[in-house]
């Protein structure tokens, strides 16, 4: 068996070409903005872009929105300290779901929210009276939506 030797110059040229392609592929990237919440780094769990606004929800009740293509975010204090796990919007309606059975609903495009915490019935845990954590929300039309959460909740 004969093994072909690749001259060092050819190998170096290949490496330079690969690095050049990598550098060209990254043109236009910019440094990510660090999202802050109450003076410290925030933990984001979900992001929604609805065509006009960018919404971020996360730990410790984080709700922030940007109307300038995510250059700057304005934090919204909705009076919730639970972790928020998902955000979904359909026309003017918006839902945010999170830990402890938290559901936030807006019918005015996110200008105001109504809080619903720990629904009875399907929102209660089979392990006692503690509300379940909700992980995701999705609506398939104006009347039908789904929330998934702890213990196989759908």
């Amino acid at each position: 068996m004969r093994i072909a030797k690749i001259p060092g110059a050819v190998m170096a040229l290949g490496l330079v070409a690969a690095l050049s392609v990598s550098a060209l592929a990254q043109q236009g990237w910019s440094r990510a903005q660090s999202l802050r919440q109450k003076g410290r780094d925030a933990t984001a769990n979900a992001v929604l872009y609805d065509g006009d606004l960018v919404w971020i929800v996360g730990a410790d009740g984080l709700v922030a929105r940007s109307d300038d293509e995510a250059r700057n975010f304005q934090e919204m204090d909705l009076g919730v300290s639970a972790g928020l796990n998902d955000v979904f919007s359909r026309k003017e309606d918006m839902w945010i779901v999170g830990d402890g059975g938290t559901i936030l609903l807006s019918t005015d495009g996110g200008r105001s929210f109504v809080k619903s915490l720990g629904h009875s019935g399907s929102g209660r845990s089979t392990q006692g009276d503690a509300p379940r954590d909700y992980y995701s929300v999705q609506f398939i039309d104006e009347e039908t939506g789904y929330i998934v959460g702890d213990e196989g909740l759908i």
Side-chain angles (χ1 to χ4, degrees), residues 9-65:
V10 173
M11 187 175 279
L13 184 59
L15 181 60
V16 168
L19 291 175
S20 297
V21 170
S22 175
L24 290 174
Q26 293 182 16
Q27 287 182 353
W29 287 28
S30 62
R31 186 172 188 84
Q33 174 188 346
S34 176
L35 188 60
R36 309 282 292 171
Q37 178 183 18
K38 299 175 184 163
R40 57 187 169 81
D41 287 339
T43 301
N45 292 336
V47 177
L48 168 73
Y49 175 63
D50 71 3
D52 294 318
L53 299 173
V54 178
W55 292 86
I56 295 178
V57 299
D60 302 318
L62 172 68
V63 177
R65 71 179 190 176

Side-chain angles (χ1 to χ4, degrees), residues 138-153:
Q138 180 82 37
F139 274 73
I140 58 173
D141 60 37
E142 292 185 22
E143 300 292 324
T144 308
Y146 297 92
I147 294 176
V148 296
D150 278 347
E151 302 174 23
L153 171 74

Side-chain angles (χ1 to χ4, degrees), residues 112-124:
S112 65
F113 286 85
V114 175
K115 178 172 67 172
S116 175
L117 180 63
H119 287 282
S120 60
S122 65
R124 293 287 178 185

Side-chain angles (χ1 to χ4, degrees), residues 63-111:
V63 177
R65 71 179 190 176
S66 171
D67 59 4
D68 62 1
E69 298 178 347
R71 285 186 209 87
N72 299 291
F73 282 89
Q74 299 82 41
E75 187 177 345
M76 299 178 68
D77 184 0
L78 301 182
V80 175
S81 61
L84 301 175
N85 300 318
D86 197 18
V87 55
F88 179 82
S89 129
R90 182 178 196 85
K91 298 182 182 176
E92 288 292 303
D93 295 336
M94 181 177 289
W95 297 265
I96 299 173
V97 297
D99 296 342
T102 302
I103 300 174
L104 303 170
L105 169 63
S106 174
T107 57
D108 59 9
R111 289 182 289 282

